[in-house]
């Protein structure tokens, strides 16, 4: 199985699937292609939360603001999973989770882009400065998709012998921020806002254990186990499916009601 995630929307992922179809019989599963454009941290959060639910697979990830620059193209192996994508930190949180933490089994390789080769020799393209016919703006199609196909079809114990790979290391390591926790106070931030408007913080859900109400940046808010614990249109704090505190509205948009956006500071306190 190869999973595919990007910020491309449409139709660009179709070209990547075409390349994969030329080179492998693997089943291709879309994770998402509507991640916020060029937002590496948001995509890194969601990949960390979503990819562990897949069986062993090759995960192709392309959120790549530095496409065409000197940033490396990586293959990272974590346990039974392999991730392919740019060296901008986006793969690191998922790799840690898939490897079972910082001490888990991990390997890193750098893709040699010159030997990936043209993805469709029947289509004219301008050679790059290295002599390989590939686009400087669409490495998802011309570099990462061919590499993902090769990695998927290789024996799991022979990644280092693939001709398109050479031993390397990760140059950019992205650590998602953690909250500062005390017994009755937590200082964190909004990590992401999902499609329902739920403001997902980095505060562990255990902070809400045993509490019926908390102060959110000074305002009292009820704690509920479900959205329906409060009336329609009312605010609440709850624990989301990912295990973190969410600031939500029953059948409404939490980020609007709380006046929050990704990156905003959030202080949760037990009311006196």
């Amino acid at each position: 199985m190869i999973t595919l995630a990007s910020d491309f929307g449409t139709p660009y992922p179709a070209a990547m699937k075409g390349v994969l179809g030329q080179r492998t019989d693997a089943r291709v599963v879309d994770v998402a292609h509507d991640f916020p454009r060029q937002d590496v941290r948001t995509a890194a959060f969601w990949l960390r939360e979503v990819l562990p639910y897949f069986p062993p697979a090759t995960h192709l990830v392309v959120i790549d603001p530095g496409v065409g620059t000197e940033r490396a193209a990586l293959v990272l192996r974590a346990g039974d999973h392999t991730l392919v994508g740019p060296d901008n930190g986006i793969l690191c949180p998922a790799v840690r989770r898939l490897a079972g933490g910082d001490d888990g089994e991990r390997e890193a390789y750098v893709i040699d882009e010159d030997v990936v080769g043209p993805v469709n020799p029947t289509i004219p393209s301008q050679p790059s400065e290295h002599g390989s016919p590939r686009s400087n703006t669409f490495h998802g199609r011309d570099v990462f998709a061919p590499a993902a196909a090769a990695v998927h079809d290789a024996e799991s114990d022979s990644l280092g012998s693939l001709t398109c790979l050479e031993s390397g290391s990760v140059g950019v390591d992205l650590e998602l921020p953690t909250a500062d926790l005390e017994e009755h106070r937590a200082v964190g931030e909004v990590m992401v806002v999902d499609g329902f408007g739920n403001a997902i913080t980095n505060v562990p859900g255990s902070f809400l254990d045993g509490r019926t109400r908390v102060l959110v940046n000074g305002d009292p808010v009820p704690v509920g186990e479900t959205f329906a614990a409060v009336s329609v249109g009312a605010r609440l704090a709850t624990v989301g499916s990912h295990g973190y505190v969410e600031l939500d509205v029953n059948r409404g948009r939490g980020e609007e009601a709380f006046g929050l956006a990704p990156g905003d500071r959030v202080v949760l306190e037990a009311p006196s």
Side-chain angles (χ1 to χ4, degrees):
M1 177 187 295
I2 296 176
T3 74
L4 183 55
S6 76
D7 59 353
F8 291 159
T10 59
Y12 295 110
M16 297 171 65
K17 292 179 182 179
V19 172
L20 292 171
Q22 291 181 44
R23 300 191 175 212
T24 178
D25 293 329
R27 177 187 176 195
V28 178
V29 177
D30 291 301
V31 175
H33 298 293
D34 58 353
F35 287 119
R37 308 285 182 167
Q38 303 182 344
D39 188 341
V40 171
R41 196 180 79 160
T42 293
F45 172 86
W46 284 120
L47 293 169
R48 184 188 70 177
E49 299 303 316
V50 170
L51 295 188
Y53 289 95
F54 282 91
T58 297
H59 305 289
L60 173 52
V61 178
V62 191
I63 290 85
D64 192 15
V67 62
T69 69
E70 293 300 315
R71 66 94 186 91
L74 297 178
V75 173
L76 305 181
R77 188 165 69 179
D80 294 327
H81 295 258
T82 306
L83 293 87
V84 180
D87 186 12
N88 58 17
I90 192 168
L91 305 179
C92 296
V95 165
R96 288 192 191 90
R97 180 70 57 85
L98 291 167
D102 287 332
D103 296 329
E105 177 187 354
R106 291 183 285 178
E107 296 177 3
Y109 305 88
V110 175
I111 300 170
D112 182 350
E113 298 177 8
D114 289 328
V115 298
V116 169
V119 296
N120 190 338
T122 67
I123 299 177
S125 60
Q126 294 296 319
S128 74
E129 60 180 337
H130 303 293
S132 175
R134 65 173 184 270
S135 167
N136 288 324
T137 60
F138 197 1
H139 283 190
R141 179 194 65 194
D142 296 349
V143 175
F144 295 119
V151 167
H152 178 274
D153 289 350
E155 295 294 332
S156 62
D157 61 352
S158 63
L159 288 185
S161 66
L162 284 173
T163 57
C164 67
L165 302 177
E166 59 185 22
S167 295
S169 60
V170 180
V172 181
D173 194 0
L174 175 64
E175 287 270 11
L176 294 177
T178 57
D180 181 13
L181 296 175
E182 301 175 7
E183 183 178 359
H184 299 294
R185 189 172 188 265
V187 180
E189 66 177 89
V190 176
M191 292 296 296
V192 296
V193 175
D194 69 14
F196 292 97
N198 302 318
I200 302 170
T201 76
N202 61 353
V203 178
S206 58
F207 183 79
L208 299 183
D209 289 352
R211 306 190 198 278
T212 59
R213 186 172 294 269
V214 291
L215 299 179
V216 179
N217 291 343
D219 293 333
V221 176
V223 173
E225 292 186 359
T226 66
F227 300 117
V230 297
S231 59
V232 174
R235 303 189 303 174
L236 77 155
T238 190
V239 181
S241 60
H242 34 67
Y244 295 97
V245 175
E246 286 186 5
L247 303 175
D248 305 333
V249 170
N250 184 13
R251 302 190 193 181
R253 298 196 63 88
E255 93 280 27
E256 295 177 357
F258 284 92
L260 293 170
D264 285 353
R265 183 172 185 261
V266 174
V267 179
L268 304 180
E269 297 174 286
S272 56

